[in-house]
Amino acid sequence: MPSSTRGSWQATASPTDPEAARQLQEWLTEEDHSLFGIEHDFRGADLSGGDFTGAWFTQAILAGVVFKEAVFYRADLQSADLTGADLTGADLVRANLNGAALRLARLHGADMVNASLHGVDASGAGLRGTRIMGASLHGVDLRGADLTDAVLFQNTFKVTVDDTTVVRGLTGTVFGPITVVSGESSRELAGTEIEACVSERGGKVTVVPTTPL
């Protein structure tokens, strides 16, 4: 029989932590099981190109881990620490990222369609060209983030931005409101106020009105 995608894939660099490395190796040899990385420390790893569909990374330490072009379809990354992780071009479709730390993470060109991001700290994250269509962003900190050319589609977009958040080329449709922080002050924007704010910064979004119950 031909080797499976997982069987032919190898980590470029294994986690420094022995237990995490063991979990990864066991997963590679057990074709019918999802990776069980809950609360494990994967720092030091380069797992680019891996298929982690349905994997469990709940509360895992993934800071600085390289996941270029990796697949996380329906993976659970709830409360995971992805600070400074490289997820360039990753597939995060329907991934659960609620409560995760994405500070300074690189998500350029990633696919985050229908992903869930509630209570996420994505300050300073790189989201250039990222597809965030249909995703739920609720209580997400995007201060200092770069959303150049990112694409939205009917996103719940209750986010916090500041003067350093880049939205040049950002397009799509969103539900508000958003909070804009400037110095010591902040203000909440909704409807056409959001459209005007994004337009002033070089983007173009349309706010979809919510239907009252």
Side-chain angles (χ1 to χ4, degrees), residues 116-192:
S116 182
L117 298 94
H118 287 222
V120 170
D121 181 358
S123 54
L127 295 149
R128 294 196 304 269
T130 304
R131 285 162 38 92
I132 321 175
M133 303 165 69
S136 179
L137 284 75
H138 194 290
V140 176
D141 188 346
L142 288 171
R143 286 176 288 184
D146 183 357
L147 288 95
T148 300
D149 296 329
V151 182
L152 311 170
F153 179 73
Q154 295 190 357
N155 292 72
T156 301
F157 206 61
K158 294 182 179 180
V159 302
T160 299
V161 301
D162 66 3
D163 295 335
T164 64
T165 303
V166 181
V167 295
R168 185 175 54 254
L170 175 70
T171 57
T173 53
V174 300
F175 302 97
I178 68 173
T179 299
V180 179
V181 176
S182 181
E184 298 297 319
S185 65
S186 66
R187 58 193 176 111
E188 188 174 275
L189 305 181
T192 57

Side-chain angles (χ1 to χ4, degrees), residues 1-16:
M1 294 179 63
S3 60
S4 67
T5 301
R6 186 191 301 178
S8 60
W9 177 82
Q10 292 294 324
T12 302
S14 294
T16 303

Side-chain angles (χ1 to χ4, degrees), residues 76-92:
D76 193 314
L77 294 137
Q78 186 169 347
S79 300
D81 182 0
L82 288 149
T83 302
D86 190 345
L87 293 138
T88 303
D91 178 349
L92 289 151

Side-chain angles (χ1 to χ4, degrees), residues 181-212:
V181 176
S182 181
E184 298 297 319
S185 65
S186 66
R187 58 193 176 111
E188 188 174 275
L189 305 181
T192 57
E193 293 176 318
I194 296 175
E195 297 173 357
C197 178
V198 174
S199 178
E200 289 170 0
R201 301 181 184 206
K204 183 178 177 61
V205 300
T206 301
V207 176
V208 180
T210 56
T211 303

Side-chain angles (χ1 to χ4, degrees), residues 19-174:
E19 181 59 24
R22 185 183 67 80
Q23 286 285 346
L24 182 64
Q25 189 57 43
E26 286 185 359
W27 169 72
L28 285 169
T29 58
E30 297 177 2
E31 291 293 317
D32 297 329
H33 294 81
S34 297
L35 177 59
F36 193 77
I38 295 176
E39 297 183 348
H40 287 308
D41 185 347
F42 287 85
R43 285 178 294 181
D46 184 339
L47 305 177
S48 297
D51 186 347
F52 304 105
T53 296
W56 295 87
F57 285 109
T58 314
Q59 297 182 335
I61 302 175
L62 306 169
V65 175
V66 181
F67 286 115
K68 291 181 180 179
E69 306 291 338
V71 177
F72 292 94
Y73 178 70
R74 289 190 179 278
D76 193 314
L77 294 137
Q78 186 169 347
S79 300
D81 182 0
L82 288 149
T83 302
D86 190 345
L87 293 138
T88 303
D91 178 349
L92 289 151
V93 174
R94 297 188 180 278
N96 177 5
L97 288 151
N98 294 340
L102 287 167
R103 294 182 299 274
L104 302 174
R106 292 180 293 283
L107 293 134
H108 306 307
D111 193 344
M112 302 181 78
V113 173
N114 291 323
S116 182
L117 298 94
H118 287 222
V120 170
D121 181 358
S123 54
L127 295 149
R128 294 196 304 269
T130 304
R131 285 162 38 92
I132 321 175
M133 303 165 69
S136 179
L137 284 75
H138 194 290
V140 176
D141 188 346
L142 288 171
R143 286 176 288 184
D146 183 357
L147 288 95
T148 300
D149 296 329
V151 182
L152 311 170
F153 179 73
Q154 295 190 357
N155 292 72
T156 301
F157 206 61
K158 294 182 179 180
V159 302
T160 299
V161 301
D162 66 3
D163 295 335
T164 64
T165 303
V166 181
V167 295
R168 185 175 54 254
L170 175 70
T171 57
T173 53
V174 300

